[in-house]
Amino acid sequence: MSQNEALDEAHHANRHVAEFLALPKSALLLSPASETIVQLVEDGSALTAANLLNDHSVLTIQRPILVTDSPESIGMKLPRTKNGRDVTISDIARYVGSNMPVRVIDVKYQHELEGWTFGDLVDYFEDEDRTKGLRKSNDIEDVMKKRTSRPRRRAAQKCIEKTGPGVLNQISLEFSDTPLAHHVRSPKFSRELDWIDNVWPKRLKSENIYPNVKYYCLTSASGSYTDFHIDFGGTSVWYHVLSGRKDFCLIAPTEDNLKVYEEWLCSKSQAELFLPNQIRDSRSISRIHLNKGQTLFIPSGWIHAVYTPDDSLVFGGNFIHGIDIDMQLKVYSIEIRTKVLEQYRFPYFVPLYFYAGGYYLRKSRIVTIASQELKGLPVLVDALVGWWNVWKNQDVDDSALTVSTVKAARESALASNCDSVEELLSELHAAFGSRFSHISNADEKGSNNTASVRDRQQKPTLLTVSSKPRLKIKLAKADAFRIEIKSSSTLVEAIPFDVPVQRSTTRESIDKYVDRSEAIMDDEWKPDLSRSPKRLGKALSNGRVASAASKPKTTARQRLFKKTKW
């Protein structure tokens, strides 16, 4: 490492920030001439679902959109304070609760810190020593004593005492199930296109079973950096800066760029490589600046990194829609091949697609589907057929807390007045065709009568896919944020339909990452009265109570205690 590189790394919280800031800023033009130009919207009323679905509209949902108009102009709702001051992280804590567990990222090493709550984040952001740069342990100890009387999780306190406040980033707090959700509403166009709003069954929503990815609160300290990534499941993202500033580097999802991105993910030296240096077409890279009050829309598949010049508070959300089905499935395929851990994938991804298949079939019987959505439906049909060939013989999970692929497929078929999933797939194929020419034949094209559909149902499956998985997904131990990829798979374009993924943990579940022993305050533990007096006394003398899960070897004296009635 050269002296200049060492100085840059010492000055910034992450080694890649200097290279990020050296990227040229892109022009913002409302022009369809180039796929690499970010669209600028100064009149928010023009950004509607109808315009995005219109073939003749200047705006397109497949390129980034920066809205400089007010959030209300695009149908958003944001929390406000009574006296008109800026909303702070302390205000957010009143809605989500100080004890809400959060994933906090150490920006320097891009790894997750355990045991943090939202209340800890408030203490961190309001710590004056964070801006003064004090790192001496006695100074930090004095500050800790002056803070709120709310008990602190030991893991968070230990981290701050050991390394100082540092630069921390929190980008994954989904708050749909908190009171804060009543004060935030996403852009209207995203709600009108979102499959979660329009396709997911209302019955499951009422049971609070749905992909919880619609509303996120991001709290980033000055100097935070999030390395390049594609949002899970190829979801599109809306991103509003409530306070502070953000810098984005966007890379267009061309075939070549996606291949380079996948190779970068699988590289052992990923942490040392700056992705834009690997991109061969520099024109596909854009860097834009986002100020307070502005909203950015990131389309499906766009690779992006984020730098935070000032402390910032951001609201955002992910959504899946019918205009970019092909790109969404490409990203899903990349996640499978690069073995992205399950908790970082889109929850209920495959069931949502089966519900979408039934939705579009029912819609085609009533109204004409917009050509923007119609383009991707053959790809949707192929995906559903491939998935069903794998999942149809698997046992159905009867748990009320899960939504299996088999359940979703059968429920979608019944809602579409189909006797079976095979009939649903046959009707979808008849209505929308397939991207694989060898599936269709002259007799099937243009045939919509019921008899022909029934006949096709008796034929072999529309797409021959081996039921034996080609790829085994091993959920090996990895860093909670920086995922270490170990893959020897070759880069292929085919979507791996035949890789069933058991979905039991959604993205927002962090139980496996939080050390519950750290979550218990010193004054909260209670003796386990089920223990014998001698063992209880020994535990008390040691300042702790033995875990109920531990089973030491039973001695003759202990067996005597078991027979004694106390």
Side-chain angles (χ1 to χ4, degrees), residues 84-364:
R85 62 172 175 78
D86 289 343
V87 176
T88 65
I89 187 172
S90 297
D91 298 320
I92 302 300
R94 297 188 183 97
Y95 293 112
V96 301
S98 295
N99 292 326
M100 168 71 75
V102 291
R103 290 175 174 171
V104 177
I105 307 302
D106 185 320
V107 174
K108 182 176 181 179
Y109 301 104
Q110 293 287 289
H111 71 259
E112 184 174 317
L113 305 178
E114 294 184 350
W116 282 71
T117 65
F118 202 86
D120 293 326
L121 275 181
V122 174
D123 288 344
Y124 166 78
F125 274 91
E126 294 180 350
D127 184 3
E128 295 181 358
D129 289 338
R130 182 172 64 91
T131 57
K132 294 179 181 179
L134 297 178
R135 293 294 183 270
K136 294 181 180 179
S137 59
N138 57 344
D139 293 331
I140 295 174
E141 185 177 354
D142 292 340
V143 173
M144 299 288 288
K145 292 179 180 178
K146 296 177 182 178
R147 290 181 179 177
T148 174
S149 59
R150 175 186 56 78
R152 170 180 295 280
R153 289 197 173 191
R154 292 194 298 270
Q157 181 175 351
K158 182 179 179 180
C159 171
I160 293 181
E161 290 177 347
K162 182 178 179 181
T163 63
V167 178
L168 304 183
N169 195 12
Q170 184 283 123
I171 56 175
S172 57
L173 174 60
E174 215 286 339
F175 59 86
S176 294
D177 296 331
T178 72
L180 180 59
H182 300 296
H183 301 271
V184 181
R185 187 183 298 122
S186 59
K188 185 179 180 181
F189 80 89
S190 68
R191 284 180 274 123
E192 292 175 344
L193 296 175
D194 191 359
W195 281 359
I196 300 175
D197 286 328
N198 303 306
V199 172
W200 193 260
K202 294 181 179 179
R203 172 186 61 82
L204 294 176
K205 283 185 181 178
S206 65
E207 298 174 6
N208 202 27
I209 302 174
Y210 64 97
N212 283 27
V213 300
K214 290 173 58 65
Y215 292 102
Y216 286 94
C217 177
L218 297 79
T219 53
S220 304
S222 176
S224 293
Y225 175 77
T226 303
D227 211 349
F228 287 91
H229 63 283
I230 299 176
D231 277 79
F232 54 10
T235 50
S236 302
V237 184
W238 62 272
Y239 196 96
H240 179 81
V241 179
L242 197 66
S243 63
R245 296 181 297 158
K246 289 283 185 177
D247 274 358
F248 282 81
C249 176
L250 303 165
I251 302 177
T254 64
E255 292 295 331
D256 186 59
N257 288 350
L258 288 177
K259 182 178 179 180
V260 172
Y261 171 73
E262 187 170 346
E263 292 172 345
W264 175 75
L265 281 180
C266 297
S267 173
K268 293 182 180 179
S269 57
Q270 176 192 0
E272 288 76 32
L273 297 175
F274 187 59
L275 183 59
N277 294 338
Q278 317 300 316
I279 301 297
R280 287 177 275 273
D281 184 8
S282 60
R283 295 173 299 176
S284 62
I285 303 175
S286 303
R287 181 190 163 198
I288 62 172
H289 189 73
L290 207 61
N291 291 315
K292 173 184 173 182
Q294 296 180 337
T295 307
L296 177 66
F297 165 74
I298 304 176
S300 172
W302 280 69
I303 310 161
H304 56 282
V306 189
Y307 174 69
T308 308
D310 302 319
D311 288 356
S312 65
L313 180 59
V314 170
F315 289 116
N318 300 68
F319 63 100
I320 280 185
H321 55 85
I323 302 178
D324 255 336
I325 295 176
D326 191 17
M327 182 58 67
Q328 289 164 180
L329 288 173
K330 282 183 180 179
V331 175
Y332 173 78
S333 177
I334 291 175
E335 291 175 346
I336 294 291
R337 291 197 299 267
T338 57
K339 305 178 184 179
V340 174
L341 294 179
E342 183 65 15
Q343 61 266 23
Y344 297 108
R345 296 189 200 159
F346 187 92
Y348 306 127
F349 184 87
V350 178
L352 179 61
Y353 268 71
F354 271 100
Y355 288 128
Y359 167 80
Y360 282 109
L361 180 59
R362 296 189 297 273
K363 187 176 181 180
S364 67

Side-chain angles (χ1 to χ4, degrees), residues 525-540 544-554 558 561-562 564-566:
W525 70 269
K526 296 180 181 179
D528 186 353
L529 299 180
S530 64
R531 303 292 182 183
S532 64
K534 181 171 183 178
R535 291 181 63 185
L536 180 58
K538 184 177 180 181
L540 291 173
R544 62 178 181 85
V545 176
S547 171
S550 61
K551 295 182 178 180
K553 293 183 179 180
T554 305
Q558 288 173 333
F561 274 117
K562 286 185 178 180
T564 306
K565 294 183 180 181
W566 299 95

